[in-house]
Amino acid sequence: MDWQSLFNLTGVWLLKVWMLFIAQTPGLPASTPKPLPSPAADVELLKTQIQFLQDANTRLNNSFGSFVGAINLSFVVFGVILGVAGAISVYLFNQSLKEARQLVREEVERRLQISVGEAIGQQVDNLKRILDREQVLGGINVNYILPQDKPLLSDDYPEEYQLLAERGFKSTQILDASKRLKISGDVVVLDLVNYQLILDEEKTSLSEVEIARLTEERVAEQIQKILNALPNKAVLVVYIRPGKQRISAIDELSRKVKYYASANTPVNLMGTVVDSAYVADAWNKC
């Protein structure tokens, strides 16, 4: 708006000069002169207005500069505040993160120690039980009897005996049944599987009833030989495969032996002898 006033004032001044020029030009009709303002006064007025505009522009520039400076300063201050707040936030966040990591690490380590301790404790308990059981077997003597009429060579030893010999008993001994039996074992195995109770020619010449009767008699005879030499605190295990037949001599063992058992397969024999060893160990400690 100030520049527009300046242009208007300049136009008025030029118009006055033009009218003065026309009034002084010869040939033009004379007119009644009118009093006009002094050009010097107009120039002074124009100078005053121009100075005012310059001052106003200067003040405006200064105000705008101050405003811009204030804005810049505000941004700087705001940036500094944000930077400080951000630094504080990052520091606090890092501290919180470190504390959180430390807590998580401590919790994980604690739970890991508990889990590992429980697992190790359980494994140690299992191992201890196994060692205790094996320690029991390490104190048991096993006598193995195969009722042959002639001494056995080591190459003729039954496979079941060899398996028992590797089981970890204190001693596993196969006795010579062709001589007088001297039983000293805690567990005694009577092998009637690898001993042929009925000969092949008897199987072909005898009826099933006669074979069953003959099997019963020979089992009872072999059991009685064992009972005559069996120590008081010994567990008897009879290894036999009677088929469909039930052997009365084994059923009657309960009246002659305190602890006994029977087995009909190699796996069953191994488990039965081990279980009998635990019984014999407990019995000997009574």
Side-chain angles (χ1 to χ4, degrees), residues 140 186 233-234 279-286:
I140 297 297
D186 302 297
K233 287 190 174 182
V279 174
D281 177 74
W283 194 11
N284 290 330
K285 292 178 180 178
C286 293

Side-chain angles (χ1 to χ4, degrees), residues 6 14 17 39 42 55 93 111 117 119 148 150 160 185 213 218 222 249:
L6 178 61
L14 291 176
V17 173
D42 292 336
D55 293 340
F93 176 77
R111 291 183 177 273
Q148 298 284 2
K150 57 182 180 179
E160 291 86 345
R213 180 181 55 79
R218 291 178 178 176
Q222 296 298 330

Side-chain angles (χ1 to χ4, degrees), residues 11-278:
V12 171
W13 182 78
L14 291 176
L15 181 59
K16 289 181 179 182
V17 173
W18 175 254
M19 292 177 65
L20 179 61
F21 175 76
I22 292 176
Q24 294 177 358
T25 302
L28 293 177
S31 58
T32 303
K34 295 182 179 179
L36 295 174
S38 175
D42 292 336
V43 172
E44 290 297 328
L45 177 62
L46 179 60
K47 287 181 179 181
T48 302
Q49 291 179 350
I50 291 174
Q51 184 64 37
F52 173 78
L53 292 175
Q54 288 178 347
D55 293 340
N57 184 53
T58 300
R59 289 194 299 271
L60 179 62
N61 289 334
N62 292 336
S63 299
F64 183 74
S66 301
F67 174 75
V68 172
I71 293 296
N72 291 333
L73 180 61
S74 299
F75 277 115
V76 171
V77 174
F78 185 67
V80 171
I81 294 174
L82 286 181
V84 173
I88 295 175
S89 299
V90 170
Y91 174 77
L92 295 177
F93 176 77
N94 290 332
Q95 291 298 112
S96 300
L97 186 59
K98 290 180 181 178
E99 294 177 357
R101 288 177 177 174
Q102 183 65 24
L103 291 176
V104 171
R105 185 181 298 108
E106 292 176 355
E107 182 65 16
V108 170
E109 290 178 354
R110 185 182 68 83
R111 291 183 177 273
L112 184 60
Q113 289 177 356
I114 294 175
S115 300
V116 172
E118 292 177 352
I120 293 177
Q122 184 176 3
Q123 294 299 325
V124 169
D125 292 340
N126 293 337
L127 181 60
K128 186 176 182 300
R129 284 194 293 269
I130 293 173
L131 293 177
D132 291 341
R133 291 170 66 89
E134 292 300 317
Q135 186 177 5
V136 170
L137 300 184
I140 297 297
N141 296 313
V142 178
N143 288 164
Y144 195 96
I145 301 172
L146 183 62
Q148 298 284 2
D149 295 334
K150 57 182 180 179
L152 289 174
L153 300 176
S154 58
D155 294 339
D156 297 330
Y157 287 171
E159 184 178 358
E160 291 86 345
Y161 168 77
Q162 296 175 358
L163 292 174
L164 288 173
E166 298 294 331
R167 182 59 184 85
F169 296 102
K170 182 178 181 180
S171 68
T172 305
Q173 181 182 7
I174 189 166
L175 302 182
D176 186 0
S178 62
K179 300 178 181 180
R180 182 180 177 182
L181 291 176
K182 294 181 180 180
I183 302 175
S184 60
D186 302 297
V187 178
V188 180
V189 179
L190 174 60
D191 185 354
L192 299 178
V193 171
N194 295 295
Y195 170 68
Q196 193 174 15
L197 288 170
I198 306 299
L199 302 177
D200 294 336
E201 57 269 19
E202 292 174 333
K203 292 179 181 180
T204 58
S205 61
L206 298 177
S207 64
E208 292 184 2
V209 176
E210 292 174 330
I211 292 175
R213 180 181 55 79
L214 188 59
T215 299
E216 180 73 38
E217 291 176 357
R218 291 178 178 176
V219 170
E221 179 184 355
Q222 296 298 330
I223 289 177
Q224 188 58 47
K225 289 181 180 181
I226 300 299
L227 293 178
N228 293 336
L230 192 69
N232 292 331
K233 287 190 174 182
V235 180
L236 177 62
V237 178
V238 180
Y239 183 37
I240 187 172
R241 293 175 187 167
K244 297 180 181 180
Q245 182 180 355
R246 188 175 184 85
I247 306 299
S248 300
I250 296 177
D251 294 336
E252 294 173 357
L253 279 175
S254 59
R255 296 181 296 177
K256 303 176 182 179
V257 183
K258 188 170 185 179
Y259 297 109
Y260 75 95
S262 62
N264 55 10
T265 65
V267 174
N268 185 217
L269 176 64
M270 291 288 293
T272 301
V273 173
V274 170
D275 291 339
S276 300
Y278 298 138

